Amino acid sequence: MKKIAIIIGARPQFIKHSPVEKALAKFFDVFSIHTGQHYDSKMSEIFFQELGIRPPLFNLSIGSGSHGLQTGKMMIELESILLENRPDAVLVYGDTNSTLAGALVTSKLGIKLIHIEAGLRSFNREMPEEINRVLTDHISNFLFAPTALSVDNLLKEGVSKGVYNVGDVMCDAVLLAKDKIESAGKVEPTGEILVTLHRPYNTDDISRLLSIIEVLNELNIKIIFPLHPRTRNSLLMNKIDLSGFENIKFIDPVSYFDLIKLQLESKCVVTDSGGVQKEAYILERKCITIRPETEWEETLKNGWNTLIFNDLSELAGLIEKEPGEYLPNIYGEGDSARRIAEILNDEL
Ligand code: UD1
Ligand code: UDP
């Protein structure tokens, strides 16, 4: 059996990895390397347990740090593991520093590189993720793009070899979770709004973060807000008293099934997360995205997702606005991981 090493490190990567690992294991000897970019148990361990993901063969425990420090430390460790274990290919997901570190090391060792979630673009080079994804795409041998738009983005940059439009592996994960939740009992709507925020431009500057939280609190609708550690740390460092926001329930990060259930129960979702925008769409929940742009442009059709950034006063009106026609299956039908495994089995 050919050997594939899979690099994971941040919360959304554990979720993407869950269907992919299972599909690849039918054809390949698969092992994973956890960079340790996310390390709190509610940002990492919880997903391995809930989703039945195999424990990583290596955990680099790199932890947090500046971009250069974090990416550089990952590269040093990854290089020696790949040299020792000599996989036939290395797979990376998405656009985090773990993705870029894995991609650079793999490419320089002359090992085949597989990128899942290729071709996504925000066209905003101030986002570290945009740099990570553009660089990764340009050195990948197999580029699994989730949508036609992402294939077009690659073509415009002259990347066409090894590109496959296979749908989104997150759609596989969401549909499985939805089935599981609904078969455990009826999901009752709570009428609450689910909020997640973690982009540096919304959270690192405390006055920006507080202005968002104040607008949310003034909606006079119950809000549930699982705090990403970046956001929690920003509030803690600035000694913000969270009990002052009477309409918002701040909680720790939750498990994947819990986050999907919260979306299903909610009136709508407010977020700056890439994954949550897509999930809300797949679950047919309206989303309001606090960002100047999105990589997931398909979600914007017919008001299912709306971008707001400078003028937060638009939020109240948007919460009540009904979206138009829903276009199903824009992220695939839940079989992306299987399609990726079959293509790699033929091509590797
Ligand atoms: C990272 C990714 C981002 C992705 C997000 C998913 C990069 C550049 N960014 O952002 O693309 O959307 O993950 O959640 O790769 N921290 C903890 N405990 C943890 C992890 C982080 O306390 O387990 C805190 C640390 O203070 C750290 C901060 O969160 O400095 C940010 O973590 P980091 O992984 O650098 O970036 P994210 O904002 O999580
Ligand atoms: N998520 C979760 N628990 C939470 C918040 C998010 O399981 O408390 C899941 C969410 O359902 C989605 C993924 O984490 O699948 C999104 O990760 P995140 O928002 O951290 O990163 P992004 O997608 O923006 O890169």
Side-chain angles (χ1 to χ4, degrees), residues 11-12 15 47 170 198-199 226 253-256 259 273-275 279:
R11 174 166 67 186
I15 293 158
F47 301 104
M170 270 191 115
H198 72 275
R199 295 281 155 216
V254 297
S255 79
Y256 182 58
L259 207 276
S273 157
E279 287 167 354

Side-chain angles (χ1 to χ4, degrees), residues 23 31 37 68 86 92 111 122 128 130 143 165-166 188 193 205 228 246 257 259 271 290 293 301 303 311 322 337:
F31 69 96
Q37 177 170 351
R86 293 264 160 214
V92 295
I111 302 173
S122 65
E130 185 76 353
L143 298 95
N165 180 353
V166 288
E188 300 290 349
I193 298 173
D205 171 2
H228 186 286
E246 70 278 9
F257 291 161
L259 207 276
T271 192
I290 306 190
E293 76 284 298
K301 276 231 169 92
D311 186 4
E322 280 300 309

Side-chain angles (χ1 to χ4, degrees), residues 10-303:
R11 174 166 67 186
Q13 293 168 335
F14 310 134
I15 293 158
K16 290 165 198 171
H17 181 55
S18 155
V20 172
E21 173 191 68
K22 291 179 181 78
L24 288 182
K26 295 199 176 118
F27 304 108
F28 298 100
D29 176 5
V30 182
F31 69 96
S32 68
I33 309 171
H34 189 327
T35 62
Q37 177 170 351
H38 285 174
Y39 45 86
D40 290 351
S41 73
K42 287 178 181 167
M43 294 297 288
S44 173
E45 177 61 29
I46 194 171
F47 301 104
F48 287 81
Q49 287 177 7
E50 186 181 61
L51 301 173
I53 303 169
R54 289 192 215 160
L57 196 55
F58 302 92
N59 191 328
L60 312 182
S61 302
I62 301 295
S64 307
S66 66
H67 288 272
L69 185 87
Q70 191 181 49
T71 313
K73 278 163 111 182
M74 287 175 191
M75 287 179 68
I76 294 168
E77 300 290 326
L78 286 170
E79 185 176 62
S80 73
I81 291 175
L82 296 182
L83 278 172
E84 228 165 83
N85 290 270
R86 293 264 160 214
D88 297 287
V90 174
L91 188 155
V92 295
Y93 299 100
D95 53 22
T96 70
N97 288 346
S98 301
T99 315
L100 180 64
L104 286 174
V105 168
T106 303
S107 171
K108 291 199 172 200
L109 289 176
I111 302 173
K112 290 214 168 3
L113 178 64
I114 305 161
H115 186 204
I116 290 190
E117 210 177 75
L120 270 296
R121 296 291 181 268
S122 65
F123 303 103
N124 175 359
R125 290 271 169 119
E126 282 174 24
M127 285 179 75
E129 293 83 359
E130 185 76 353
I131 308 294
N132 294 345
R133 52 172 94 98
V134 170
L135 296 179
T136 301
D137 281 339
H138 281 258
I139 53 177
S140 289
N141 304 93
F142 295 94
L143 298 95
F144 291 108
T147 58
L149 192 63
S150 46
V151 173
D152 279 355
N153 289 338
L154 291 169
L155 288 177
K156 283 185 192 140
E157 292 172 18
V159 181
S160 59
K161 198 162 169 267
V163 175
Y164 301 86
N165 180 353
V166 288
D168 197 312
V169 297
M170 270 191 115
C171 183
D172 300 19
V174 182
L175 296 180
L176 283 171
K178 181 171 181 272
D179 264 7
K180 214 162 192 152
I181 291 161
E182 289 178 342
S183 60
K186 194 168 179 297
V187 176
E188 300 290 349
T190 57
E192 291 183 345
I193 298 173
L194 170 71
V195 176
T196 82
L197 292 175
H198 72 275
R199 295 281 155 216
Y201 52 63
N202 281 332
T203 60
D204 288 358
D205 171 2
I206 192 64
S207 62
R208 167 77 183 167
L209 179 56
L210 278 181
S211 66
I212 300 174
I213 293 179
E214 275 155 15
V215 168
L216 288 167
N217 193 49
E218 280 160 17
L219 292 171
N220 276 324
I221 302 176
K222 289 285 168 221
I223 287 173
I224 185 138
F225 190 163
L227 283 172
H228 186 286
R230 177 187 280 278
T231 316
R232 181 198 59 208
N233 290 346
S234 178
L235 292 164
L236 274 179
M237 264 168 36
N238 290 283
K239 302 192 171 53
I240 304 301
D241 175 13
L242 296 180
S243 65
F245 304 99
E246 70 278 9
N247 291 318
I248 309 181
K249 191 170 161 195
F250 295 95
I251 58 172
D252 281 347
V254 297
S255 79
Y256 182 58
F257 291 161
D258 284 353
L259 207 276
I260 297 298
K261 187 152 181 274
L262 284 173
Q263 291 185 69
L264 285 168
E265 290 167 344
S266 70
K267 174 185 171 75
C268 73
V269 175
V270 176
T271 192
D272 61 14
S273 157
V276 175
Q277 285 176 69
K278 258 185 299 176
E279 287 167 354
Y281 189 89
I282 294 165
L283 298 169
E284 297 186 48
R285 289 297 173 277
K286 189 178 68 186
C287 183
I288 297 154
T289 298
I290 306 190
R291 286 188 47 185
E293 76 284 298
T294 180
E295 301 79 22
W296 305 104
E297 281 195 28
E298 305 84 4
T299 58
L300 300 175
K301 276 231 169 92
N302 303 335

